[in-house]
Amino acid sequence: VQLVESGGGLVQPGGSLRLSCEASGFTFSNYWMHWVRQAPGKGLVWVSQINNDGSSTTYADSVRGRFTVSRDNAKNTLFLQMNSLRAEDTAMYYCLSDVDAAIGRDWGQGTLVTVSS
Amino acid sequence: DVVLTQSPLSLPVTLGQPASISCRSSQGLVGSDGITYLHWFQQRPGQSPRRLIYKVSNRDSGVPDRFSGSGSGTDFTLKITRVEAEDVGVYYCMQATHWPPYTFGQGTKLEIK
């Protein structure tokens, strides 16, 4: 099983980024997926989830209305569209699997988002 | 939101000695299906987190049997029978019963004395 995130980088406040997470080694379309972030030197914070077919999504209050999670099961890829970025969104962003109703069996290596002018 | 409170936040341990981390929840974590969705993660320095224990007491594949999880209701514990050098890192509990949001504890930093 492998999850590989990409798309992070330096962006100005108010800007946008689109993160991707490419999955392999398991039947991606069968499972819910999540995004979790970790600010530098801080703990883990759940950001968003999406069900297996993409018809249902949930967000943390801190990102609702600014972030959109989606997936392309044909390409085994999870996305996180991040708009109106703020300095407090600066963090490492991880994608996680949710297999057998137990979140977090698999984690990616993370992609770093830095929001700064 | 469910608040998970871990203790201690810092845990210096001598090699070969046991270690124990507590995770207390602000509300009971038994789901409507009777399952308790409380998991434990380890994050070694510079690495992504890794799940050790899922649903209170189930050890993930490849996790050494010196790690065990226990508890019920609002009180949960991660135990290491004999700490090894590779166990250094931060340990987090997480609840997936009452969501959104899914919530993590603050983390417990284990170091070798």
Side-chain angles (χ1 to χ4, degrees):
Chain A
V1 173
Q2 196 171 16
L3 297 173
V4 179
E5 299 95 336
S6 61
L10 175 63
V11 61
Q12 292 189 341
S16 298
L17 275 179
R18 189 193 198 203
L19 307 184
S20 300
C21 169
E22 188 169 345
S24 60
F26 68 109
T27 308
F28 179 72
S29 59
N30 284 357
Y31 300 112
W32 292 25
M33 295 291 293
H34 300 257
W35 289 97
V36 165
R37 68 185 181 183
Q38 185 172 35
K42 302 297 185 182
L44 301 170
V45 177
W46 173 81
V47 172
S48 179
Q49 80 173 16
I50 186 167
N51 71 345
N52 60 309
D53 65 7
S55 62
S56 176
T57 58
T58 317
Y59 300 92
D61 287 347
S62 59
V63 307
R64 188 177 297 115
R66 301 187 298 123
F67 290 11
T68 302
V69 61
S70 61
R71 64 192 297 162
D72 183 339
N73 284 344
K75 296 182 177 178
N76 290 343
T77 304
L78 174 72
F79 302 101
L80 186 67
Q81 176 68 43
M82 304 188 297
N83 298 331
S84 303
L85 282 162
R86 306 166 179 167
E88 55 264 37
D89 295 318
T90 294
M92 185 73 79
Y93 284 75
Y94 298 99
C95 65
L96 285 68
S97 65
D98 191 332
V99 176
D100 296 333
I103 182 175
R105 187 191 71 177
D106 312 299
W107 293 65
Q109 86 288 352
T111 187
L112 181 62
V113 172
T114 303
V115 184
S116 175
S117 55
Chain B
D1 297 359
V2 174
V3 176
L4 298 179
T5 303
Q6 291 183 224
S7 62
L9 299 184
S10 178
L11 183 56
V13 183
T14 301
L15 285 173
Q17 293 301 301
S20 179
I21 300 171
S22 169
C23 177
R24 290 188 168 173
S25 175
S26 60
Q27 55 184 279
L29 296 182
V30 179
S32 56
D33 57 4
I35 297 174
T36 300
Y37 295 93
L38 186 285
H39 316 310
W40 289 96
F41 297 88
Q42 174 196 60
Q43 188 174 28
R44 291 169 171 157
Q47 295 187 13
S48 300
R50 161 202 184 194
R51 198 177 69 190
L52 299 175
I53 303 287
Y54 62 97
K55 299 177 189 177
V56 180
S57 59
N58 298 278
R59 200 179 304 116
D60 272 281
S61 176
V63 174
D65 60 8
R66 63 178 182 276
F67 288 93
S68 66
S70 64
S72 63
T74 60
D75 288 349
F76 303 90
T77 303
L78 177 70
K79 292 183 178 178
I80 310 172
T81 52
R82 294 173 304 280
V83 169
E84 298 188 5
E86 65 179 18
D87 300 335
V88 166
V90 182
Y91 292 79
Y92 297 91
C93 56
M94 180 210 190
Q95 70 83 24
T97 299
H98 303 294
W99 57 268
Y102 299 79
T103 52
F104 292 88
Q106 321 98 297
T108 294
K109 186 173 185 178
L110 185 150
E111 61 179 23
I112 304 300
K113 273 186 193 173

